[in-house]
C-alpha cells in the first residue's frame, strides 16, 4: 500500500515538472514572438540620385556640369586607440586632405563625426575601398551594446550627400551662362539656377527622377536581380547645347578685356549672329565673374549686358528711321536735304551736326551721320507710323526667348511722336532706350532681304541616352520690303567705304554698318559721359552675319569711329582667323 502511494506521488511530481517545463516553453515562445527582434531583413533597397544636366558649347565642350559629392562619416568611439593615427594618415591620403584637419575633426565630439561633406566622386570610390581594408586590418574595434550585450563594429561610411556645379572654363560666357545656388532637399544638396541660362532653363536642366532598386538580398547583402526585384531608373536633367563655340568665345572675350583697358571703358559688349537663322555665334563682355567664387566687386557684372543694359543708342537708330521712310516711299536716297550749315532749330531746341553741311543727299545723311538731315526727314512720318514702325523692328519688345530679366527699353508714344521735337530726337536715337540684342535683331533685316530674326543661343536638348532634340528656328518676320532692305544695305556699305565706319573695312569682305554716340543721363540730366556703338553686318558670299559692338562710357574718346568700330573690326578679324569668314582674294 505504501509503495503504491509513493509511486502515485512520483507520477504526480513528474507531471508537475513536465507541466511547468511546458508552461515555461510556451512563455518563452510567446515572449520571443511579441518581443521586437533585430533580425536581418531578407530584402534590401539601394537608391541613386539623378543629376542636373550640363550646358554644352556648339563645339562639344561642357562649360557647366554637375559632380556628385559624398560625405565621410565615422563613429570615433569604434576606432582602436592604438590605430587611430593609422586611420588619420590613411584617410588623409585617400581623401587628399590635410591630416591635421582630419585629426581636428575627430576631436570635435564623441560619437558620429562627419569628417568632410565635399568629397568628389573619385575620392569617394577610393575611400570605399579604404573602408573595407580598415575593417580587414581591425582598425575598428567591436563594442557591446549595454542593453543587449551584442557586439557590433561601425566603420567608415561614405554617403552620397549632394551635387555641386563645375565650370571648367572659369569665367567664360558669364554672365550669359549665369550661376546657381544650393538648395537642401531631404538632407541632399541640389543645385538651382539663379541667373542667365542656368535660371532660364532650370526646369529642363533639373534632375527628373532618382533611381532605386529593391529585391531579395544574398548572404553578402547584395540585391538579387530577378523577376521579383524592382528597379526604377535614374532620369537625369537634360543637357543643353548652345549655338556658341567655346574656342571663338574665348578669343572674343580676351579681345573685349584688352579693349576695355585700352579704351578705359566701363564695359565692352560684342555679339555676333547669323543673319538668316538668328543663331548667336558669340556674345561677349569684358565684365565677367567666376560662378563658383562670386565676390562683392562682381555684383555689377552679374547681369547680362546684351539684354539687361538698356541705353539711348544714338545714331545707330538713323538707318531704322530712314528705312521706314524709304519703305513708305516718303524719301528717295538721292533727295537733297538742307544741312543748315550745322545748326537747325525745332521749337526751343537747336539741333547740331559734328560736321557742317550745306546740302547733302538723303543717303549721305546716313553715310555722314547728320542729325539735322534725319530730323527733317522724320517729320514726314506721322506719330502712329513712327511708333508702329519702331515696334515692328522689335524695339520695346523682348529680343530672345533664351534669356530672362531683359530690359526691353522704351519708345515714345504715338502722341509724343506726333510732335516735331520728339520725331527729331527719336530719329537719331534719343528719347528711346534699347539693348544690344534688340539692335542686332533690327539690323538683321538689312542683311536678310527685309526679314527679321530673333537671337537664338540654345540649339538643342540632349537626354542621358544622347538623343538630341533640335529646337526649331523662330520664323523670320518680313518687316520691310526686300527692295527697301537692299537699298538700306547698300547705303550702310557706303557708310563703311567712305563714311563714319571706314575703319571697319577689311579687303575681300562685304561690310556695312552705322556708328552711334549718345550722352548718358544721370539724375535726369545729360552729362559728359557717352556710350558708343557700331552695328552692322559682314558677308563673304556664303556666310551672312550681323554684328554689334557697344562701348559703355569709354574715356579714351567719345567717338564711335575710334572706340566701337575698332572693336567691331577686331571681332571680324578673329572670325576670319578661325575660319568663320573667308575673304575673297582678288588675283
Amino acid at each position: 500500500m505504501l509503495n503504491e502511494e509513493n509511486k502515485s506521488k512520483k507520477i504526480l511530481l513528474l507531471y508537475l515538472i513536465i507541466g511547468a517545463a511546458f508552461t515555461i516553453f510556451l512563455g518563452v515562445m510567446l515572449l520571443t514572438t511579441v518581443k521586437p527582434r533585430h533580425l536581418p531583413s531578407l530584402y534590401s533597397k539601394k537608391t541613386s540620385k539623378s543629376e542636373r544636366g550640363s550646358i554644352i558649347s556648339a563645339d562639344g565642350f561642357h562649360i557647366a556640369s554637375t559632380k556628385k559629392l559624398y560625405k565621410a562619416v565615422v563613429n570615433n568611439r569604434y576606432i582602436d586607440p592604438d590605430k587611430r593615427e593609422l586611420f588619420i594618415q590613411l584617410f588623409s591620403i585617400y581623401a587628399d586632405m590635410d591630416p591635421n584637419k582630419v585629426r581636428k575633426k575627430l576631436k570635435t565630439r564623441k560619437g558620429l563625426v562627419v569628417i568632410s561633406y565635399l568629397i568628389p566622386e573619385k575620392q569617394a570610390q577610393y575611400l570605399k575601398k579604404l573602408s573595407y581594408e580598415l575593417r580587414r586590418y581591425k582598425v575598428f574595434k567591436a563594442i557591446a551594446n549595454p542593453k543587449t550585450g551584442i557586439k557590433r563594429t561601425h566603420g567608415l561610411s561614405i554617403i552620397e550627400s549632394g551635387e555641386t556645379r563645375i565650370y571648367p572654363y572659369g569665367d567664360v560666357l558669364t554672365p550669359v551662362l549665369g550661376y546657381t545656388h544650393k538648395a537642401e532637399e531631404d538632407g541632399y544638396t541640389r543645385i538651382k539656377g539663379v541667373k542667365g541660362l542656368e535660371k532660364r532653363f532650370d526646369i529642363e536642366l533639373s534632375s527628373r527622377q532618382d533611381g532605386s532598386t529593391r529585391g531579395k538580398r544574398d548572404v553578402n547583402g547584395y540585391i538579387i536581380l530577378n523577376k521579383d526585384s524592382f528597379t526604377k531608373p535614374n532620369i537625369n536633367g537634360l543637357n543643353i547645347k548652345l549655338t556658341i563655340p567655346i574656342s571663338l568665345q574665348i578669343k572674343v572675350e580676351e579681345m573685349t578685356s584688352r579693349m576695355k583697358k585700352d579704351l578705359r571703358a566701363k564695359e565692352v559688349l560684342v555679339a555676333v549672329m547669323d543673319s538668316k537663322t538668328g543663331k548667336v555665334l558669340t556674345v561677349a563682355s569684358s565684365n565677367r565673374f567666376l560662378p563658383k567664387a562670386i565676390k562683392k566687386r562682381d555684383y555689377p557684372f552679374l547681369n547680362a549686358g546684351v539684354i539687361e543694359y538698356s541705353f539711348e543708342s544714338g545714331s545707330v537708330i538713323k538707318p531704322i528711321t530712314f528705312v521706314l521712310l524709304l519703305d513708305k516711299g516718303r524719301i528717295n536716297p538721292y533727295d537733297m536735304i538742307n544741312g543748315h550749315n550745322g545748326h537747325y532749330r525745332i521749337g526751343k531746341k537747336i539741333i547740331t551736326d559734328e560736321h557742317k553741311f550745306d546740302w547733302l543727299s538723303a543717303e549721305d545723311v546716313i553715310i555722314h551721320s547728320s542729325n539735322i538731315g534725319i530730323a527733317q526727314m522724320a517729320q514726314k512720318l506721322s506719330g502712329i507710323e513712327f511708333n508702329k514702325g519702331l515696334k515692328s523692328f522689335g524695339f520695346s519688345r523682348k529680343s530672345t526667348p533664351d534669356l530672362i530679366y531683359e530690359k526691353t527699353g522704351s519708345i515714345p508714344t504715338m502722341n509724343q511722336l506726333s510732335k516735331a521735337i520728339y520725331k527729331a530726337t527719336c530719329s537719331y536715337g534719343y528719347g528711346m532706350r534699347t539693348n544690344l540684342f534688340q539692335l542686332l535683331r533690327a539690323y538683321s533685316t538689312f542683311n536678310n532681304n527685309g526679314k527679321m530674326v530673333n537671337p537664338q543661343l540654345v540649339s538643342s536638348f540632349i537626354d542621358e541616352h544622347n538623343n538630341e532634340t533640335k529646337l526649331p528656328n523662330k520664323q523670320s518676320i518680313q518687316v520691310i520690303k526686300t527692295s527697301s532692305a537692299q537699298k538700306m544695305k547698300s547705303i550702310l556699305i557706303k557708310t563703311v567705304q567712305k563714311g563714319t565706319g571706314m575703319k571697319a573695312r577689311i579687303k575681300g569682305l562685304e561690310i556695312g554698318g552705322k556708328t552711334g554716340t549718345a550722352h548718358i543721363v544721370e539724375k535726369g540730366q545729360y552729362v559728359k559721359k557717352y556710350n558708343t556703338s557700331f552695328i552692322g553686318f559682314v558677308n563673304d558670299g556664303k556666310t551672312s552675319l550681323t554684328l554689334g559692338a557697344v562701348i559703355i562710357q569709354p574715356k579714351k574718346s567719345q567717338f564711335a569711329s575710334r572706340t566701337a568700330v575698332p572693336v567691331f573690326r577686331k571681332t571680324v578679324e578673329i572670325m576670319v582667323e578661325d575660319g568663320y569668314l573667308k575673304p575673297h582674294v582678288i588675283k
Side-chain angles (χ1 to χ4, degrees), residues 251-263 265 267-272 282 284-286 436 503-504 506 532-534 547-552 554 559-575:
K251 288 184 178 181
V252 177
E253 284 185 350
E254 288 175 347
M255 180 272 294
T256 62
S257 296
R258 290 194 302 271
M259 292 305 291
K260 175 185 176 180
K261 186 176 180 180
D262 180 58
L263 300 173
E267 185 173 9
V268 174
L269 293 167
V270 171
V272 180
T282 184
S285 170
S286 60
L436 177 51
K503 290 182 180 179
I506 294 176
T532 65
S533 55
F534 187 76
L547 282 77
V550 174
I551 319 301
I552 300 174
F559 298 107
S561 59
R562 298 177 186 174
T563 55
V565 173
V567 171
F568 181 100
R569 180 191 172 94
K570 287 179 184 294
T571 304
V572 175
E573 288 173 341
I574 291 171
M575 302 203 72

Side-chain angles (χ1 to χ4, degrees), residues 52-54 165 198 201-207 237-238 240:
R52 184 178 179 86
S54 298
R165 204 64 166 158
E198 292 276 24
F201 294 98
D202 192 50
I203 293 174
E204 291 80 0
L205 287 165
S206 294
S207 59
L238 295 173
I240 293 177

Side-chain angles (χ1 to χ4, degrees), residues 123-351:
Q123 267 80 29
Q125 298 307 317
Y126 293 153
L127 288 168
K128 285 179 181 179
K129 291 180 181 178
L130 175 63
S131 178
Y132 173 77
E133 294 299 324
L134 292 174
R135 281 177 177 271
R136 198 159 68 89
Y137 286 102
K138 298 182 179 179
V139 172
F140 302 104
K141 61 183 180 178
I143 299 178
N145 187 307
K147 293 183 179 179
T148 64
I150 298 172
K151 283 190 175 184
R152 288 187 179 180
T153 303
H154 286 281
L156 175 65
S157 299
I158 308 302
I159 304 166
E160 196 174 325
S161 62
E163 58 186 19
T164 186
R165 204 64 166 158
I166 303 296
Y167 300 91
Y169 297 93
D171 66 356
V172 172
L173 200 59
T174 56
V176 168
L177 192 62
Y179 60 97
T180 60
H181 69 72
K182 297 176 182 178
E184 292 292 326
E185 291 183 5
D186 299 324
Y188 189 82
T189 303
R190 294 286 190 186
I191 298 299
K192 299 292 182 184
V194 178
K195 287 279 288 183
L197 294 167
E198 292 276 24
K199 174 64 176 178
R200 167 62 183 85
F201 294 98
D202 192 50
I203 293 174
E204 291 80 0
L205 287 165
S206 294
S207 59
R208 306 301 179 85
Q209 176 179 283
D210 291 335
S212 65
T213 302
R214 188 178 185 277
K216 287 185 177 180
R217 65 179 184 84
D218 61 19
V219 292
N220 294 314
Y222 294 108
I223 296 173
I224 302 170
L225 297 176
N226 55 27
K227 64 179 183 179
D228 297 321
S229 62
F230 171 78
T231 299
K232 183 172 71 173
N234 268 353
I235 302 179
N236 295 324
L238 295 173
N239 293 334
I240 293 177
K241 191 169 186 179
L242 305 183
T243 59
I244 300 169
I246 196 73
S247 55
L248 176 65
Q249 181 69 22
I250 289 171
K251 288 184 178 181
V252 177
E253 284 185 350
E254 288 175 347
M255 180 272 294
T256 62
S257 296
R258 290 194 302 271
M259 292 305 291
K260 175 185 176 180
K261 186 176 180 180
D262 180 58
L263 300 173
R264 303 197 302 278
K266 193 172 181 180
E267 185 173 9
V268 174
L269 293 167
V270 171
V272 180
M273 178 181 77
D274 187 298
S275 302
K276 309 296 182 185
T277 66
K279 289 185 176 180
V280 174
L281 296 179
T282 184
V283 51
S285 170
S286 60
N287 297 359
R288 304 180 298 277
F289 60 91
L290 293 171
K292 295 288 289 181
I294 297 172
K295 304 290 191 297
K296 189 174 182 179
R297 65 174 181 269
D298 296 325
Y299 290 174
F301 302 168
L302 300 181
N303 297 331
V306 290
I307 62 159
E308 293 184 73
Y309 183 72
S310 175
F311 61 103
E312 289 183 309
S313 55
S315 295
V316 292
I317 296 298
K318 287 175 183 173
I320 308 298
T321 306
F322 188 95
V323 83
L324 289 174
L325 290 158
L326 195 65
D327 203 53
K328 293 183 180 300
R330 306 286 168 81
I331 59 167
N332 183 292
Y334 306 108
D335 289 343
M336 296 306 293
I337 309 296
N338 191 341
H340 293 278
N341 204 30
H343 286 77
Y344 180 65
R345 180 184 290 274
I346 296 181
K348 294 181 180 181
K349 183 174 178 61
I350 296 177
I351 298 171

